[in-house]
């Protein structure tokens, strides 16, 4: 039923996957099998709010305090990382937990946090024009981006991978992509890497990976490429339809994006990340979210407190 070879439009494809995900969320497993578990609220750590925290030298922090709430940029369609429940509007996932634990550490009560979905291609602009105070959403730290924004962290190390349909036998790594249609998100590092290193692949870009997945399930593309952490989440939600193949072929250190010149905020978030790694919150948050896609909790990478530039 999922292999809608004949569906004509991306809209129809989106509907098919939307229905599948909705059915899973509603607890209707395929063929009566139990649904893949989503994050359970009661398994999530409760982050202690540092009510006396002050950071007046951070323009972002000071503005958020005056406003009375923090606006955090995130993804809304990445299973176990950043997902928005369409009915309740509630965001969940590992990135969301990172965002919440940091907010608590810098003095914001849960009820004073709001999330805003920002696609990969729009992250730098959103931080530059003050649309969001910080961003947590599978955001790779690299030198090019550091010219535009600042990064706290890294808080997780991912690597680029490939997602294909379970009936695909020809693709087991990026070397097999010649002449194949590969989908990724515009403005992402995986997109750029395929363009630069595997020019014989036929690259297609959309705003989000969930649209790529719709296109994969409807045979409009042969593979989806992005970080393994993201792909494993999609595969875990529909294991009969899709699989992650090969080994990761890049390093994608995830950082928390902040406005470029706000070093005070960046370093405060570095301290907060470190404290949450030490007190066990990081590991608990991981196990209750991304861990559900089958990844055991790793040791987080060392934090890079780079000098202001
Ligand atoms: N981590 C990669 C990036 O920051 C891919 C994931 C994403 O697009 O968010 O570009």
């Amino acid at each position: 039923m999922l292999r809608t070879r004949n569906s004509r439009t991306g809209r129809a494809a989106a509907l098919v996957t939307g229905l599948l995900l909705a059915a899973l969320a509603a607890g209707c497993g395929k063929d009566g099998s139990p649904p893949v578990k989503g994050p359970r609220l009661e398994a999530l750590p409760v982050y202690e709010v540092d009510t006396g925290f002050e950071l007046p030298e951070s323009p972002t922090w000071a503005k958020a305090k005056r406003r009375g709430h923090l606006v955090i940029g995130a993804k809304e369609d990445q299973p176990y990382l950043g997902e928005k429940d369409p009915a309740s509007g509630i965001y969940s996932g590992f990135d969301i937990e990172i965002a919440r634990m940091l907010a608590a550490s810098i003095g914001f009560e849960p009820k004073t946090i709001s999330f805003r979905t920002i696609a990969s291609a729009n992250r730098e602009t959103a931080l530059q024009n003050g649309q969001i105070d910080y961003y947590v959403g599978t955001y790779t730290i690299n030198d090019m981006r550091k010219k535009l924004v600042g990064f706290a962290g890294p808080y997780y190390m991912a690597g680029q991978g490939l997602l294909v349909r379970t009936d695909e036998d020809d693709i087991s790594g990026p070397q097999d992509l010649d002449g194949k249609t590969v989908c990724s998100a515009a403005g992402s590092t995986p997109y750029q890497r395929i363009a630069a290193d595997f020019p014989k692949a036929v690259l297609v870009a959309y705003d989000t990976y969930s649209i790529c997945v719709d296109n994969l399930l409807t045979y409009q593309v042969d593979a989806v490429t992005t970080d393994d952490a993201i792909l494993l989440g999609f595969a875990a939600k529909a294991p009969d339809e899709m699989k992650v193949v090969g080994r990761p072929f890049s390093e994608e250190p995830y950082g928390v994006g902040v406005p470029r010149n706000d070093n005070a905020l960046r370093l405060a978030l570095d301290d907060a990340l470190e404290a949450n790694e030490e007190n066990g919150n990081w590991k608990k948050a991981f196990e209750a979210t991304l861990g559900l896609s089958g990844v055991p909790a790793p040791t987080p990478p060392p934090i890079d407190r780079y000098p202001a530039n």
Side-chain angles (χ1 to χ4, degrees):
M1 174 262 202
L2 260 174
R3 292 186 184 134
T4 48
R5 269 176 203 271
N6 302 327
S7 73
R8 294 263 182 269
T9 63
R11 202 178 292 260
L15 186 67
V16 172
T17 307
L19 287 175
L20 165 79
L21 294 178
L24 286 171
C28 318
K30 214 179 157 222
D31 305 328
S33 61
V36 179
K37 282 195 203 126
R40 282 182 306 116
L41 277 184
E42 62 277 15
L44 295 171
V46 175
Y47 310 111
E48 202 182 317
V49 180
D50 185 350
T51 46
F53 185 87
E54 292 283 338
L55 197 65
E57 64 276 32
S58 157
T60 314
W61 185 90
K63 196 168 73 178
K65 273 282 153 175
R66 279 199 302 275
R67 197 198 289 136
H69 69 275
L70 198 58
V71 186
I72 305 174
K75 295 288 182 68
E76 67 171 35
D77 62 344
Q78 298 186 172
Y80 306 105
L81 282 158
E83 259 186 308
K84 183 179 171 182
D85 181 317
S88 66
I90 294 173
Y91 286 74
S92 65
F94 183 55
D95 282 333
I96 303 304
E97 290 309 308
I98 294 287
R100 289 193 176 123
M101 68 178 74
L102 297 182
S105 296
I106 63 167
F108 286 87
E109 300 279 349
K111 62 177 185 303
T112 66
I113 306 170
S114 62
F115 288 96
R116 177 179 283 196
T117 301
I118 306 282
S120 296
N122 302 331
R123 293 181 283 210
E124 290 79 24
T125 328
L127 285 166
Q128 284 168 332
N129 66 20
Q131 247 181 298
I132 52 174
D133 297 318
Y134 60 80
Y135 186 92
V136 192
T138 60
Y139 198 8
T140 295
I141 304 172
N142 66 29
D143 288 343
M144 215 165 66
R145 288 175 177 168
K146 272 188 188 167
K147 293 189 179 128
L148 305 169
V149 300
F151 285 105
Y155 61 90
Y156 183 73
M157 183 64 83
Q160 186 168 353
L162 291 168
L163 181 74
V164 296
R165 291 177 298 269
T166 40
D167 61 4
E168 175 66 70
D169 297 325
D170 295 343
I171 302 173
S172 58
Q175 71 285 349
D176 302 325
L177 293 176
D178 289 8
K180 304 279 186 194
T181 308
V182 189
C183 192
S184 196
S188 71
T189 49
Y191 177 91
Q192 289 154 6
R193 188 166 296 103
I194 297 293
D197 298 349
F198 303 95
K200 289 189 180 144
V202 183
L203 253 179
V204 182
Y206 288 102
D207 282 350
T208 65
Y209 301 109
S210 56
I211 301 179
C212 286
V213 168
D214 292 335
N215 279 272
L216 180 69
L217 289 170
T218 53
Y219 289 74
Q220 298 177 58
V221 301
D222 300 309
V224 178
T225 190
T226 185
D227 306 332
D228 49 2
I230 302 173
L231 299 177
L232 286 166
F234 282 113
K237 291 234 169 171
D240 296 340
E241 312 296 328
M242 296 178 290
K243 60 184 178 187
V244 176
V245 288
R247 301 188 145 275
F249 50 98
S250 75
E251 286 203 328
E252 308 289 333
Y254 287 173
V256 178
V258 298
R260 181 168 187 268
N261 294 323
D262 201 334
N263 293 300
L265 179 64
R266 173 167 64 84
L267 296 169
L269 295 181
D270 280 337
D271 291 345
L273 270 174
E274 195 162 77
N276 279 286
E277 288 172 10
E278 275 162 16
N279 69 17
N281 279 342
W282 185 99
K283 187 162 188 263
K284 269 192 234 159
F286 185 94
E287 284 168 350
T289 56
L290 194 50
L292 299 177
S293 67
V295 190
T299 307
I303 287 166
D304 178 17
R305 289 181 176 77
Y306 59 89
N309 51 7

